[in-house]
Amino acid sequence: MQLDRATRRRLADTALAVVVGALVLTAAAFDADTTPVDFALVALGSLALAAYRSTPRAVLAITTVTTTAYVVHAHPGSLSALPVLSAVHTAARAGRRGVAALASVVFLAGFATAGPTTQELVERTTLLTGWFLCALVTGLADRNWQAYLRQTEQRALEAERTREEAALRRAGEERLRIARELHDSLTHSISIVKLQAGVAVHLARKRGEEIPPALLAIQEASGEAMRELRSTLEVLRTDEPTGTPAVLVERARAAGLAVDLRVTGEERPLTATVDRAAYRIVQEALTNAARHAGPAKVLVELGYAQQELTIRVDDDGTARPSCAPVPGIGLTGMRERVQALGGTLHAAPRTEGGFSVRAALPLCPPGDAP
């Protein structure tokens, strides 16, 4: 049976706590002055390490208090510092540098009272001080390394999104170029052929002459070719969305963005223009949140009212009201879509932090009314 990642982590953390506890308890067992209370203190301080991922500060506090009480009472050797060293390292790795340093000082102060002679006290305390400094430094180095790995992964994801967007944009531009070329070259020529064939048929009928079958075939074929060409050009020029806002939310979640979708009102089918605009607004807002909001939470809300559809995309990212955004192509295109439908758009930083995009789209925009 294959275990999931969370279960493997819990088992590894428990194994670490057991190994640390076993080492310290073994050393304590060879000390004739160790009491049952000392064994209990060592076991409690060591086993607490199993929860260091979820509550590093609580684990550090429990381990420091119990192990310091043990060394003050039993005067053990330097190996007794192992649980606190582990807790200090994990706390520093979680970014709790201050409490980790404080815990180190508390334990070293308690350990300093356990030395039987001044020389041994200085030697052992100095050695342990070096160990604690190493624990702090390695914890911070591990934290920085993990942050570097996360940033590298984020940059790779951003580069992949940028490549996909650039490829889609190039494909769209090429599609429009082909449409223009077809329109400029073929449409004019076919129109001339159809016009001339029509004039020839008209003159033949006017004169009472028999119309050649080839001429009728040319007239019919040219008309059919014009209809087919218009359909092809319409397909090439159309920028239809390939999904729904719900699909966009799922894609954003799969990419690592913390986003929720909320739908209010009675959900119902929308006209093609409103549906396309809603899709593009949500798509652009989620793209901006992924790029600029940092590790933020995003809420996408679609509100169906009697006369309009309201779209709200809010994040709690790094944007601040004091720094007004510079409208780029995305925001400009979003605003143009909304205005073309007779709606309103508000896109700006929120007072409480983060960025908000709010759009109101009439459900029967100009040109779509029956």
Side-chain angles (χ1 to χ4, degrees), residues 39-278:
F39 284 114
L41 290 173
V42 171
L44 178 60
S46 301
L47 294 179
L49 293 172
Y52 79 87
R53 291 184 191 272
S54 56
T55 55
R57 285 190 294 185
V59 169
L60 181 63
I62 293 172
T63 302
T64 302
V65 170
T66 55
T67 309
T68 302
Y70 164 59
V71 298
V72 169
H73 180 262
H75 307 291
S78 301
L79 190 61
S80 61
L82 190 56
V84 185
L85 278 170
S86 302
V88 165
H89 171 80
T90 54
R93 183 174 180 269
R96 314 296 184 182
R97 293 170 291 183
V99 293
L102 178 61
S104 302
V105 172
V106 170
F107 177 81
L108 288 172
F111 189 85
T113 65
T117 66
T118 302
Q119 181 179 359
E120 185 178 356
L121 169 64
V122 172
E123 291 177 353
R124 293 167 64 184
T125 305
T126 302
L127 177 62
L128 282 181
T129 301
W131 287 6
F132 275 98
L133 286 175
C134 288
L136 281 168
V137 171
T138 54
L140 293 175
D142 190 18
R143 176 180 173 81
N144 293 335
W145 175 249
Q146 294 297 327
Y148 170 76
L149 291 179
R150 287 192 296 270
Q151 291 175 0
T152 302
E153 183 179 1
Q154 184 63 31
R155 285 195 295 269
L157 292 174
E158 181 66 21
E160 182 65 25
R161 281 195 296 267
T162 302
R163 284 195 295 270
E164 290 178 358
E165 292 172 1
L168 290 174
R169 184 171 59 253
R170 287 194 297 270
E173 292 172 351
E174 181 65 16
R175 191 171 62 246
L176 291 176
R177 188 190 68 80
I178 293 173
R180 286 193 298 267
E181 292 294 331
L182 287 175
H183 179 272
D184 295 341
S185 60
L186 294 181
T187 304
H188 177 71
S189 300
I190 296 175
S191 297
I192 295 298
V193 171
K194 184 176 183 298
L195 177 62
Q196 291 178 343
V199 170
V201 170
H202 174 72
L203 291 176
R205 287 173 177 168
K206 186 176 180 180
R207 296 168 182 167
E209 299 174 357
E210 183 180 356
I211 302 173
L215 189 59
L216 292 174
I218 291 173
Q219 184 184 34
E220 183 178 354
S222 60
E224 183 65 26
M226 283 294 296
R227 287 190 291 271
E228 292 293 336
L229 182 58
R230 287 195 185 100
S231 299
T232 302
L233 292 177
E234 185 178 353
V235 171
L236 289 173
R237 291 181 180 275
T238 300
D239 184 22
E240 291 292 339
T242 56
T244 64
V247 173
L248 290 173
V249 169
E250 291 299 325
R251 291 176 184 170
R253 285 176 184 161
L257 189 64
V259 55
D260 290 319
L261 175 64
R262 181 188 302 165
V263 179
T264 60
E266 183 181 357
E267 187 173 0
R268 54 191 182 276
L270 304 173
T271 62
T273 53
V274 175
D275 188 43
R276 183 162 54 246

Side-chain angles (χ1 to χ4, degrees), residues 241-318:
T242 56
T244 64
V247 173
L248 290 173
V249 169
E250 291 299 325
R251 291 176 184 170
R253 285 176 184 161
L257 189 64
V259 55
D260 290 319
L261 175 64
R262 181 188 302 165
V263 179
T264 60
E266 183 181 357
E267 187 173 0
R268 54 191 182 276
L270 304 173
T271 62
T273 53
V274 175
D275 188 43
R276 183 162 54 246
Y279 180 90
R280 294 305 185 198
I281 290 169
V282 174
Q283 183 183 46
E284 182 62 27
L286 289 177
T287 300
N288 288 340
R291 286 180 175 176
H292 308 299
K297 294 182 180 179
V298 184
L299 173 64
V300 177
E301 182 173 341
L302 303 177
Y304 290 83
Q306 189 67 27
Q307 299 296 330
E308 69 177 12
L309 170 70
T310 57
I311 303 169
R312 191 181 79 181
V313 183
D314 293 345
D315 66 70
D316 57 359
T318 58

